[in-house]
Amino acid sequence: MILIKRVIFIVMMASVCAFLWLAQEQQNLDQGTTGAPAHAQAGHQAPDFSAETFSAEPFDLTDQLGQKGTVLYFWTSWCPYCQASSEAMEEAHQTFSDEVNIVGVNATMHDRQSEAESFISQNELTFKNILDEDGIISRNYYAPPVPATIFIDQHGMITYRKTGAISYPELESEIRSLVKEEE
Amino acid sequence: MFHPLQTWSLGPLTVSIELLFLMLSALVAVTVVSFYLNKSGVEDHEAVVDKITLALIIWIVIFKLWPFILQPGLVTDLRNLIYFSGGPWAVPTASTVAFALIVYFYKKLKWTFIVWESLLTAVIVSIIFYHVFVQQFGAMTPLPFGFQLDGGTVHPVNFYYVWFYSLTLLGAMFFFKGTIWYARSVYLIIAMGAIYFLIAPFQV
């Protein structure tokens, strides 16, 4: 029993020492790198993409960043959760359009463009909406499931991700966090 | 091991790996509490487990109904009860209420201190269970191994958690036999704090 206790204690101490050393190495690495790799989760750089809006204007995520944060909202026309969230998204756009960009991404590969266009007009969405015809953006951001809402700060870092319907208070809270960070 | 954003679909039901394993971890935690109390010879341990399960159910109910507290207008369409859950402060509020309920039962029903020990052990076992199955990507690593992400190598943070929490459990099993009654619980709480600080530099 004493031997087992000693072995456990030695392994514990060795692990702590190894991780303290690794933390030091990490600090040196962080000083020499440009940031976290791109991945669609909080704490990582948002994967970059280019696409076209429904009105055939070119869209590039990088162009949106720099001055203010961006909220990416993945949706499809057949999804009732997206229907439930769209009103809140439009309200947030009306309230915070000076502070953040709200960009809808239609997962067109899982939808029909004509129905997506009807969805936009029925829900009176005035924020920018883009088409993801080949599904690359959706795949990189792990959507569907939809709706998926991704909050990106002005430096391109994802601060929060919500899968499922999002209410206005939640949108407001996360947008205010983004704006606070920018200040 | 699974990617946290991966989803599994069964007919119309789609569930993310993250959510699925969170639910399974909660089940593991309840099972561990039951097993621990039984092994410790606590009388009427099933009644204790029932109350802890009740606290867990109340946690879920608060989390689910939280959007309707923040935005009561949502109740006008009953379908919203299916669509919405969570939101700002949902997790801290639900956790505080569930914890307060357990404290209330502990005092009112004069539970033994072993209940806290079993709860802490259950939390640690469920953390290990979750991290064995769900990948957690950390910061870029100076080491030659880790998870591959966007052409770089990042810290496999979930493995770090599994390693340290497993050592913690071993320590609890071997170092605290026949010691003072609260020693094991204090050790577990200190270990959880220490693990958080040890792994923090590698998280994103």
Side-chain angles (χ1 to χ4, degrees), chain B:
Chain B
M1 197 179 304
F2 304 101
H3 189 292
L5 297 178
Q6 194 184 327
T7 52
W8 280 340
S9 294
L10 190 66
L13 187 73
T14 299
V15 63
S16 77
I17 290 292
E18 208 166 21
L19 183 64
L20 177 69
F21 278 97
L22 276 174
M23 291 189 294
L24 290 174
S25 300
L27 285 178
V28 166
V30 172
T31 310
V32 169
V33 169
S34 176
F35 178 78
Y36 199 100
L37 293 176
N38 191 22
K39 281 279 167 196
S40 305
V42 173
E43 280 178 34
D44 207 12
H45 77 275
E46 283 174 2
V48 177
V49 175
D50 285 349
K51 297 286 186 292
I52 288 168
T53 309
L54 177 68
L56 186 64
I57 291 168
I58 285 175
W59 191 100
I60 294 167
V61 169
I62 292 173
F63 184 79
K64 182 65 193 160
L65 297 181
W66 191 245
F68 305 93
I69 293 166
L70 293 184
Q71 195 180 349
L74 287 175
V75 185
T76 50
D77 186 345
L78 288 179
R79 287 174 301 180
N80 287 338
L81 287 167
I82 299 169
Y83 300 150
F84 291 98
S85 61
W89 295 97
V91 171
T93 309
S95 304
T96 306
V97 172
F99 182 72
L101 195 67
I102 293 173
V103 171
Y104 169 76
F105 285 134
Y106 175 75
K107 288 198 176 276
K108 192 185 174 208
L109 303 174
K110 296 187 171 47
W111 285 350
T112 159
F113 195 80
I114 294 172
V115 171
W116 292 116
E117 208 173 281
S118 71
L119 278 170
L120 284 165
T121 308
V123 167
I124 289 177
V125 173
S126 58
I127 289 173
I128 293 171
F129 174 83
Y130 180 84
H131 285 102
V132 162
F133 289 103
V134 183
Q135 291 176 312
Q136 189 175 342
F137 304 106
M140 295 285 267
T141 174
L143 300 172
F145 53 85
F147 292 133
Q148 294 301 311
L149 204 63
D150 190 35
T153 309
V154 298
H155 286 284
V157 175
N158 57 312
F159 283 135
Y160 301 166
Y161 276 116
V162 171
W163 176 249
F164 276 109
Y165 277 117
S166 301
L167 279 178
T168 301
L169 274 187
L170 280 175
M173 281 163 64
F174 286 97
F175 295 140
F176 294 93
K177 277 185 179 166
T179 54
I180 40 177
W181 53 277
Y182 55 82
R184 189 176 283 169
S185 299
V186 171
Y187 158 78
L188 290 175
I189 292 170
I190 292 172
M192 287 167 89
I195 290 169
Y196 173 79
F197 282 106
L198 269 176
I199 296 180
F202 316 113
Q203 306 243 46
V204 289

Side-chain angles (χ1 to χ4, degrees), chain A residues 99-161:
Chain A
E99 285 96 345
V100 289
N101 306 301
I102 292 187
V103 181
V105 183
N106 173 247
T108 320
M109 211 180 167
H110 305 273
D111 204 350
R112 288 199 182 126
Q113 191 174 336
S114 57
E115 286 173 15
E117 283 164 354
S118 303
F119 183 91
I120 291 172
S121 58
Q122 276 169 13
N123 290 287
E124 297 171 350
L125 304 182
T126 59
F127 53 85
K128 200 174 277 184
N129 274 284
I130 61 171
L131 290 151
D132 178 27
E133 286 172 300
D134 50 13
I136 291 173
I137 307 169
S138 304
R139 195 165 60 239
N140 285 342
Y141 279 88
Y142 291 85
V146 283
T149 312
I150 289 134
F151 296 80
I152 305 167
D153 71 12
Q154 58 181 333
H155 308 294
M157 191 74 78
I158 297 175
T159 57
Y160 181 64
R161 178 191 176 107

Side-chain angles (χ1 to χ4, degrees), chain A residues 78-99:
Chain A
W78 46 261
C79 147
Y81 293 76
C82 304
Q83 189 81 43
S85 303
S86 291
E87 194 182 324
M89 202 58 73
E90 179 58 27
E91 194 181 343
H93 172 63
Q94 297 293 340
T95 314
F96 296 104
S97 57
D98 290 339
E99 285 96 345

